[in-house]
Tab-separated table of all heavy atoms in Angstrom:
chain	number	residue	atom	x	y	z
A	15	GLY	N	-33.174	0.645	-7.051
A	15	GLY	CA	-33.212	-0.795	-7.264
A	15	GLY	C	-32.352	-1.301	-8.400
A	15	GLY	O	-32.277	-2.516	-8.623
A	16	VAL	N	-31.715	-0.406	-9.155
A	16	VAL	CA	-30.792	-0.828	-10.210
A	16	VAL	C	-29.484	-1.271	-9.560
A	16	VAL	O	-28.941	-0.568	-8.709
A	16	VAL	CB	-30.531	0.320	-11.210
A	16	VAL	CG1	-29.491	-0.092	-12.250
A	16	VAL	CG2	-31.820	0.747	-11.881
A	17	GLY	N	-28.977	-2.421	-9.947
A	17	GLY	CA	-27.698	-2.870	-9.413
A	17	GLY	C	-26.574	-2.005	-9.928
A	17	GLY	O	-26.563	-1.620	-11.104
A	18	GLY	N	-25.625	-1.663	-9.089
A	18	GLY	CA	-24.550	-0.763	-9.499
A	18	GLY	C	-23.201	-1.201	-8.990
A	18	GLY	O	-23.093	-1.717	-7.872
A	19	LEU	N	-22.189	-0.998	-9.817
A	19	LEU	CA	-20.809	-1.291	-9.437
A	19	LEU	C	-19.930	-0.146	-9.900
A	19	LEU	O	-19.936	0.208	-11.089
A	19	LEU	CB	-20.331	-2.597	-10.068
A	19	LEU	CG	-18.923	-3.035	-9.655
A	19	LEU	CD1	-18.924	-3.563	-8.231
A	19	LEU	CD2	-18.390	-4.100	-10.593
A	20	LEU	N	-19.184	0.463	-8.989
A	20	LEU	CA	-18.305	1.586	-9.288
A	20	LEU	C	-16.858	1.148	-9.205
A	20	LEU	O	-16.435	0.586	-8.185
A	20	LEU	CB	-18.575	2.732	-8.312
A	20	LEU	CG	-19.939	3.398	-8.462
A	20	LEU	CD1	-20.214	4.337	-7.287
A	20	LEU	CD2	-20.021	4.150	-9.784
A	21	ILE	N	-16.107	1.421	-10.252
A	21	ILE	CA	-14.706	1.017	-10.340
A	21	ILE	C	-13.838	2.255	-10.454
A	21	ILE	O	-14.095	3.134	-11.283
A	21	ILE	CB	-14.459	0.105	-11.556
A	21	ILE	CG1	-15.301	-1.164	-11.442
A	21	ILE	CG2	-12.981	-0.238	-11.704
A	21	ILE	CD1	-15.252	-2.027	-12.675
A	22	CYS	N	-12.807	2.327	-9.632
A	22	CYS	CA	-11.831	3.408	-9.707
A	22	CYS	C	-10.539	2.888	-10.316
A	22	CYS	O	-9.956	1.919	-9.814
A	22	CYS	CB	-11.552	3.972	-8.312
A	22	CYS	SG	-10.168	5.138	-8.259
A	23	SER	N	-10.104	3.512	-11.387
A	23	SER	CA	-8.783	3.269	-11.949
A	23	SER	C	-7.838	4.233	-11.234
A	23	SER	O	-7.733	5.400	-11.594
A	23	SER	CB	-8.785	3.512	-13.460
A	23	SER	OG	-7.499	3.364	-14.003
A	24	ALA	N	-7.181	3.744	-10.193
A	24	ALA	CA	-6.469	4.621	-9.257
A	24	ALA	C	-5.103	5.044	-9.788
A	24	ALA	O	-4.489	4.366	-10.615
A	24	ALA	CB	-6.310	3.916	-7.921
A	25	SER	N	-4.640	6.178	-9.262
A	25	SER	CA	-3.312	6.689	-9.592
A	25	SER	C	-2.789	7.477	-8.410
A	25	SER	O	-3.543	7.841	-7.500
A	25	SER	CB	-3.360	7.588	-10.826
A	25	SER	OG	-3.942	8.846	-10.508
A	26	SER	N	-1.511	7.788	-8.450
A	26	SER	CA	-0.907	8.600	-7.390
A	26	SER	C	-1.308	10.070	-7.519
A	26	SER	O	-1.118	10.853	-6.593
A	26	SER	CB	0.618	8.478	-7.432
A	26	SER	OG	1.116	8.919	-8.691
A	27	GLU	N	-1.877	10.442	-8.662
A	27	GLU	CA	-2.224	11.842	-8.919
A	27	GLU	C	-3.616	12.213	-8.425
A	27	GLU	O	-3.887	13.385	-8.183
A	27	GLU	CB	-2.144	12.127	-10.425
A	27	GLU	CG	-0.744	12.041	-10.983
A	27	GLU	CD	-0.719	12.301	-12.481
A	27	GLU	OE1	-1.738	12.058	-13.160
A	27	GLU	OE2	0.324	12.750	-12.968
A	28	GLN	N	-4.508	11.231	-8.305
A	28	GLN	CA	-5.891	11.543	-7.971
A	28	GLN	C	-6.507	10.397	-7.176
A	28	GLN	O	-6.502	9.258	-7.636
A	28	GLN	CB	-6.697	11.769	-9.260
A	28	GLN	CG	-8.149	12.116	-9.047
A	28	GLN	CD	-8.342	13.320	-8.158
A	28	GLN	OE1	-8.620	13.189	-6.961
A	28	GLN	NE2	-8.157	14.503	-8.737
A	29	ASP	N	-7.011	10.708	-5.993
A	29	ASP	CA	-7.620	9.666	-5.168
A	29	ASP	C	-9.067	9.972	-4.797
A	29	ASP	O	-9.654	9.321	-3.932
A	29	ASP	CB	-6.796	9.424	-3.903
A	29	ASP	CG	-6.731	10.659	-3.005
A	29	ASP	OD1	-7.318	11.701	-3.356
A	29	ASP	OD2	-6.079	10.579	-1.941
A	30	ALA	N	-9.668	10.941	-5.469
A	30	ALA	CA	-11.018	11.379	-5.103
A	30	ALA	C	-12.059	10.278	-5.260
A	30	ALA	O	-13.083	10.286	-4.574
A	30	ALA	CB	-11.418	12.588	-5.943
A	31	LEU	N	-11.822	9.324	-6.159
A	31	LEU	CA	-12.806	8.276	-6.417
A	31	LEU	C	-12.612	7.048	-5.541
A	31	LEU	O	-13.506	6.200	-5.473
A	31	LEU	CB	-12.753	7.840	-7.885
A	31	LEU	CG	-12.957	8.918	-8.955
A	31	LEU	CD1	-12.993	8.280	-10.327
A	31	LEU	CD2	-14.215	9.706	-8.705
A	32	VAL	N	-11.459	6.948	-4.893
A	32	VAL	CA	-11.122	5.715	-4.177
A	32	VAL	C	-12.154	5.383	-3.111
A	32	VAL	O	-12.653	4.249	-3.030
A	32	VAL	CB	-9.708	5.811	-3.556
A	32	VAL	CG1	-9.438	4.616	-2.647
A	32	VAL	CG2	-8.651	5.885	-4.659
A	33	ALA	N	-12.504	6.352	-2.280
A	33	ALA	CA	-13.441	6.099	-1.187
A	33	ALA	C	-14.844	5.796	-1.694
A	33	ALA	O	-15.639	5.169	-0.980
A	33	ALA	CB	-13.471	7.289	-0.234
A	34	ARG	N	-15.157	6.222	-2.903
A	34	ARG	CA	-16.496	6.026	-3.470
A	34	ARG	C	-16.634	4.693	-4.202
A	34	ARG	O	-17.760	4.250	-4.491
A	34	ARG	CB	-16.814	7.155	-4.460
A	34	ARG	CG	-16.859	8.558	-3.864
A	34	ARG	CD	-18.172	8.831	-3.184
A	34	ARG	NE	-19.306	8.608	-4.075
A	34	ARG	CZ	-19.787	9.524	-4.933
A	34	ARG	NH1	-19.236	10.738	-4.993
A	34	ARG	NH2	-20.839	9.256	-5.702
A	35	ALA	N	-15.504	4.092	-4.542
A	35	ALA	CA	-15.523	2.932	-5.433
A	35	ALA	C	-15.782	1.629	-4.689
A	35	ALA	O	-15.403	1.458	-3.531
A	35	ALA	CB	-14.198	2.839	-6.192
A	36	ASP	N	-16.414	0.690	-5.392
A	36	ASP	CA	-16.574	-0.673	-4.891
A	36	ASP	C	-15.333	-1.504	-5.185
A	36	ASP	O	-15.006	-2.433	-4.457
A	36	ASP	CB	-17.786	-1.335	-5.544
A	36	ASP	CG	-19.057	-0.548	-5.331
A	36	ASP	OD1	-19.426	-0.337	-4.154
A	36	ASP	OD2	-19.673	-0.116	-6.324
A	37	VAL	N	-14.674	-1.180	-6.294
A	37	VAL	CA	-13.464	-1.886	-6.729
A	37	VAL	C	-12.418	-0.839	-7.073
A	37	VAL	O	-12.701	0.096	-7.823
A	37	VAL	CB	-13.742	-2.772	-7.963
A	37	VAL	CG1	-12.455	-3.429	-8.452
A	37	VAL	CG2	-14.794	-3.824	-7.649
A	38	VAL	N	-11.218	-0.982	-6.535
A	38	VAL	CA	-10.115	-0.067	-6.833
A	38	VAL	C	-9.042	-0.850	-7.574
A	38	VAL	O	-8.535	-1.868	-7.069
A	38	VAL	CB	-9.538	0.562	-5.555
A	38	VAL	CG1	-8.352	1.475	-5.895
A	38	VAL	CG2	-10.616	1.349	-4.813
A	39	LEU	N	-8.692	-0.395	-8.770
A	39	LEU	CA	-7.701	-1.050	-9.611
A	39	LEU	C	-6.530	-0.107	-9.837
A	39	LEU	O	-6.691	1.111	-9.816
A	39	LEU	CB	-8.323	-1.440	-10.959
A	39	LEU	CG	-9.557	-2.349	-10.878
A	39	LEU	CD1	-10.184	-2.511	-12.264
A	39	LEU	CD2	-9.189	-3.710	-10.299
């Protein structure tokens, strides 16, 4: 029930967080 927001600081070197993120920057 805790509100959550996941942000990925994306790069060409690592994309593992992209699919998990709510916001991709």
Side-chain angles (χ1 to χ4, degrees):
V16 176
L19 184 74
L20 292 169
I21 299 173
C22 171
S23 176
S25 74
S26 60
E27 294 179 334
Q28 181 56 261
D29 63 0
L31 303 185
V32 172
R34 298 279 305 275
D36 303 301
V37 176
V38 178
L39 303 173

